[in-house]
């Protein structure tokens, strides 16, 4: 395997011959880099080579450092759950550049900005033709700093789009009945076309009852059981779809082209990682409606990496930092990372950094297109909230 001089990383792709009664040509692991140090040692970043042969995932561990002119390198091929080892010889091969060299970053900020621009134009037209603007009411209970930040951003987005913003701020010790009464008041207000209860609510409140109290005609979060039920049934259409999964699908449709005509969904294999009512389940249902073949990976899935590796489209919404690894991805796939997690990082001024549910550094080297964190799905969630509110007003 030819290596560059000094410590310069050189992308490798391997065509492997496995000497144990079978041969696998073009056995391609997750694309990574190797570099040769002055001592002649080979290091791999960010992970070892590997891949699937039959039903088994194999990992290649190089045990002999080649010279710059070497034509092969010896090593060991080990099952992911090793019970034995298989001797391999990796022969040098000429192959296309790694997929990661041409991976596209799906810019959620740019796409969301385009969507919000379209919404503002439609709101302006509504004011001129119907004489009123859409109205969105946000109910905030308690003083959580993150919830207050989200509410402020939603109010600002409404203002920029020309949507009228209403709000009710209740103390953290508000009773169940007090919150329900606020929701009922907004249900009856003809100027309010969408109601959003900011989650999470304090522990003493019954979240399901409060969300169920929102009129289905104003359920712009899309969490009402009837909306979810209609989403799951063929031949029926929900009044609203949950904002985050709706934003994920919109990203796919607009990736590379904010005006539409993005990545294909119909006929593709999609794997959704996570099965929450907020993202995972509705995302899977939306992808089904778009004609994808859909699988859900969850906490009981025996080998999530093997399942994810079959996907053309991966939507990760499991809430575990960097859960999806690069060697779990099919080369050239599209990755939509819903997660946003804070992990400790002493090099950062805040003491932490934000990461998604996908290991971005590894995934970039394999995927054909990927959303960053932050700046991917997050901006689309608010854009879809505004879109749902506009659609509610347009039904009048």
């Amino acid at each position: 395997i030819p290596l560059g001089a000094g410590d310069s990383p050189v992308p490798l792709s391997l065509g492997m011959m496995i000497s144990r009664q079978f041969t696998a040509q073009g056995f391609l692991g997750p694309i990574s880099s190797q570099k040769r140090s002055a001592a002649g040692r080979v290091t791999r970043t960010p992970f070892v080579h590997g891949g699937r042969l039959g039903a088994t995932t194999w990992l290649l561990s190089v045990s002999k450092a080649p010279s710059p002119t070497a034509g092969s390198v010896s090593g060991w091929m080990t099952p992911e759950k090793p019970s034995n080892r298989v001797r391999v010889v990796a022969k040098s091969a000429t192959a296309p550049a790694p997929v990661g060299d041409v991976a596209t970053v799906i810019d959620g900020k740019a796409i969301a900005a385009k969507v919000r621009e379209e919404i503002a134009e439609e709101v302006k037209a509504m004011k001129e033709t119907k004489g009123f603007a859409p109205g969105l009411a946000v109910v905030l209970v308690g003083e959580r700093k993150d919830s207050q930040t989200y509410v402020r951003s939603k109010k600002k987005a409404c203002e920029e789009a020309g949507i009228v913003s209403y709000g009710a701020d209740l103390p953290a010790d508000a009773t169940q009945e007090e919150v329900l009464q606020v929701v009922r008041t907004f249900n009856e207000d003809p100027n309010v076309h969408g109601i959003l209860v900011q989650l999470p609510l304090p522990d003493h409140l019954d979240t399901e009852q409060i969300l169920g109290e929102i009129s289905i005609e104003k359920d712009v979060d899309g969490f009402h059981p009837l909306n979810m039920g209609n989403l799951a049934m063929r031949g029926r259409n929900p009044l609203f779809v949950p904002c985050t999964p709706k934003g994920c699908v919109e990203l796919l449709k607009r990736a590379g082209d904010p005006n539409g005509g993005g990545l294909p969904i119909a006929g593709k294999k999609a794997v959704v990682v996570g099965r929450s009512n907020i993202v995972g389940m509705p995302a899977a249902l939306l992808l089904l409606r778009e004609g994808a073949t859909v699988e859900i990976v969850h906490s009981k899935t025996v080998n999530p990496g093997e399942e994810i590796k079959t996907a053309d489209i991966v939507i990760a919404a499991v809430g575990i930092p960097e859960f999806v690894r690069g060697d779990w991805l099919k080369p050239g796939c599209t990755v939509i990372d819903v997660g946003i997690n804070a992990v400790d990082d002493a090099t950062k001024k805040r003491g932490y950094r934000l990461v998604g549910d996908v290991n971005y550094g590894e995934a970039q080297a394999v995927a054909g297109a990927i959303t960053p964190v932050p700046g991917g799905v997050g901006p689309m969630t608010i854009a879809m909230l505004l879109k749902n509110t506009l659609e509610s007003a347009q039904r009048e």
Side-chain angles (χ1 to χ4, degrees):
I1 304 172
L3 295 176
D7 289 330
S8 301
V10 179
L12 305 177
S13 71
L14 304 179
M16 297 181 182
M17 295 184 63
I18 302 178
S19 60
R20 196 187 181 188
Q21 300 175 358
F22 51 78
T23 299
Q25 295 182 349
F27 181 89
L28 185 65
I31 304 300
S32 64
S33 296
Q34 293 189 355
K35 63 182 181 180
R36 186 169 59 88
S37 68
R41 295 180 180 176
V42 175
T43 58
R44 295 171 303 281
T45 54
F47 38 72
V48 297
H49 288 280
R52 292 188 65 185
L53 184 64
T56 304
T57 300
W58 300 83
L59 304 177
L60 171 67
S61 175
V62 176
S63 60
K64 178 183 177 183
S67 68
T69 58
S72 65
V73 58
S74 297
W76 291 101
M77 201 67 152
T78 309
E80 192 174 39
K81 296 180 179 179
S83 58
N84 55 14
R85 297 192 299 175
V86 179
R87 187 70 172 176
V88 303
V89 175
K91 292 190 174 181
S92 60
T94 302
V99 176
D101 284 358
V102 293
T104 301
V105 176
I106 302 174
D107 190 342
K109 288 183 179 180
I111 295 174
K114 178 62 178 176
V115 172
R116 287 162 66 166
E117 179 184 315
E118 294 168 356
I119 292 170
E121 292 174 357
E122 291 190 62
V123 169
K124 181 180 178 181
M126 174 178 284
K127 290 178 180 178
E128 294 173 352
T129 58
K130 294 188 176 183
F132 67 90
L136 174 65
V138 180
V139 180
L140 176 64
V141 183
E143 298 180 352
R144 283 178 57 116
K145 297 299 182 184
D146 56 347
S147 292
Q148 291 175 334
T149 299
Y150 294 147
V151 169
R152 282 196 299 270
S153 64
K154 289 167 184 174
K155 289 181 177 180
K156 180 181 178 182
C158 284
E159 181 181 349
E160 292 174 351
I163 294 174
V164 181
S165 179
Y166 300 88
D169 295 349
L170 300 176
D173 60 355
T175 66
Q176 184 81 4
E177 184 56 35
E178 286 173 335
V179 180
L180 289 172
Q181 187 53 51
V182 168
V183 172
R184 293 178 189 130
T185 299
F186 285 136
N187 279 341
E188 296 169 2
D189 188 339
N191 295 314
V192 173
H193 303 95
I195 302 171
L196 181 150
V197 175
Q198 184 63 48
L199 301 179
L201 292 171
D203 292 340
H204 69 281
L205 297 175
D206 184 340
T207 299
E208 293 305 316
Q209 183 186 15
I210 291 170
L211 295 180
E213 191 70 23
I214 298 173
S215 167
I216 189 172
E217 289 84 7
K218 299 185 179 185
D219 174 39
V220 288
D221 248 348
F223 295 150
H224 194 287
L226 289 178
N227 275 323
M228 291 290 285
N230 284 331
L231 178 62
M233 298 181 70
R234 295 187 65 184
R236 295 191 180 187
N237 292 309
L239 292 177
F240 304 101
V241 173
C243 301
T244 298
K246 184 175 182 176
C248 291
V249 172
E250 194 71 15
L251 282 173
L252 291 171
K253 290 181 175 180
R254 293 179 183 244
D257 180 4
N259 296 307
L263 299 170
I265 302 175
K268 299 298 182 180
K269 172 69 179 292
V271 171
V272 178
V273 188
R275 53 179 172 175
S276 71
N277 289 333
I278 296 174
V279 182
M281 290 298 292
L285 294 171
L286 276 176
L287 289 167
L288 279 172
R289 283 179 172 251
E290 295 293 333
T293 300
V294 182
E295 179 180 349
I296 298 177
V297 166
H298 50 79
S299 60
K300 303 300 182 183
T301 302
V302 175
N303 193 329
E306 287 194 5
E307 305 302 332
I308 294 169
K309 203 161 190 174
T310 66
D312 303 302
I313 299 169
V314 177
I315 294 183
V318 71
I320 301 175
E322 300 182 323
F323 176 75
V324 178
R325 307 307 299 260
D327 56 350
W328 291 8
L329 299 174
K330 178 180 179 180
C333 70
T334 299
V335 179
I336 305 295
D337 191 349
V338 179
I340 184 161
N341 311 283
V343 297
D344 294 336
D345 188 340
T347 66
K348 301 296 182 181
K349 184 177 180 180
R350 296 174 296 182
Y352 68 90
R353 58 189 170 88
L354 297 178
V355 301
D357 291 349
V358 177
N359 188 308
Y360 188 80
E362 295 179 359
Q364 253 194 329
V366 184
I370 187 170
T371 58
V373 175
V377 174
M380 290 298 292
T381 298
I382 292 180
M384 294 300 103
L385 174 64
L386 301 180
K387 191 173 182 67
N388 280 351
T389 303
L390 171 63
E391 290 173 354
S392 177
Q394 288 173 331
R395 294 190 183 105
E396 288 195 4

